[in-house]
Amino acid sequence: MYSEKVMDHFQNPRNVGEIENASGVGTVGNAKCGDIMRMYLDIDDNGIIQDVKFKTFGCGAAVATSSMATELVKGKSIQQALEVTNKAVMEALDGLPPVKVHCSLLAEEAIHAALWDYAEKHGIKIEGLSKPKTDISEGEEEEEY
Ligand code: FES
C-alpha cells in the first residue's frame, strides 16, 4: 500500500526534533484525525533555510510527508520553499494512497505556518504566502481531494 520511500521516511524520519530560537515555528493540525505537526525553520539573513526540524504527532503518512518536506526545503530560499506543495512532497515519496493524501497537506501547511511566523517576527511580507490555517480540516468539503 505504501511506496518504499514512504516506508523509509516513516521508519527513519529525517530532521526530527526542535530548533532552539528558530526563525519561524509553525504548528498545524487536523481536527478530524487529531494529527498535529510542528515545523521549525532556521533562516539566515539571505533568506536561505539553513536548518529545519519537525515534530509530528500523527499517522505514518504524516511522519513520512513531514520528513520528506524537511528534506525538500533544506538549503532552499523562502520562495523555493513555497513551491514545496503537498503534491511535490507526494511525488518525491512516489505517491500516497488516496485516503492518505490529506496527511501531506499537513506538511505543506506546517511549512507555510513557520514561514508566516518568520515573516511576522521580521515585519516582512512574503510574496504568495497567505495566513495558514491552524486546523486544515476547517471549512473543508468531505472528500474534496
Ligand atoms: Fe491525519 Fe494522516 S491520518 S494526518
Side-chain angles (χ1 to χ4, degrees):
M1 161 171 183
Y2 288 115
S3 73
E4 269 175 38
K5 281 191 187 161
V6 172
M7 290 310 291
D8 178 31
H9 278 264
F10 168 55
Q11 280 163 344
N12 311 294
R14 327 296 200 261
N15 308 308
V16 175
E18 297 178 21
I19 297 177
E20 243 182 89
N21 303 318
S23 320
V25 183
T27 307
V28 294
N30 183 332
K32 275 195 189 146
C33 59
D35 291 358
I36 299 169
M37 189 182 293
R38 179 167 295 162
M39 199 65 85
Y40 300 81
L41 296 176
D42 180 18
I43 301 172
D44 71 13
D45 294 343
N46 299 318
I48 303 296
I49 299 170
Q50 291 295 346
D51 200 9
V52 46
K53 295 257 190 275
F54 80 93
K55 277 193 166 170
T56 291
F57 178 77
C59 73
V63 172
T65 50
S66 16
S67 168
M68 181 54 93
T70 59
E71 292 272 274
L72 293 176
V73 301
K74 204 171 189 171
K76 302 279 167 61
S77 68
I78 291 171
Q79 282 307 323
Q80 286 170 324
L82 276 182
E83 286 160 23
V84 177
T85 59
N86 77 306
K87 285 203 178 74
V89 172
M90 282 196 295
E91 271 171 32
L93 285 169
D94 293 336
L96 277 177
V99 294
K100 288 288 171 184
V101 170
H102 77 273
C103 315
S104 64
L105 277 171
L106 270 184
E108 176 185 323
E109 287 296 309
I111 292 171
H112 288 181
L115 288 172
W116 183 265
D117 181 48
Y118 166 79
E120 280 204 320
K121 280 182 182 153
H122 289 77
I124 57 169
K125 205 180 163 333
I126 297 174
E127 199 66 40
L129 179 66
S130 47
K131 192 170 180 6
K133 297 178 191 168
T134 49
D135 172 9
I136 62 161
S137 71
E138 216 172 86
E140 136 195 308
E141 300 290 322
E142 281 301 319
E143 298 309 335
E144 69 173 355
Y145 312 112

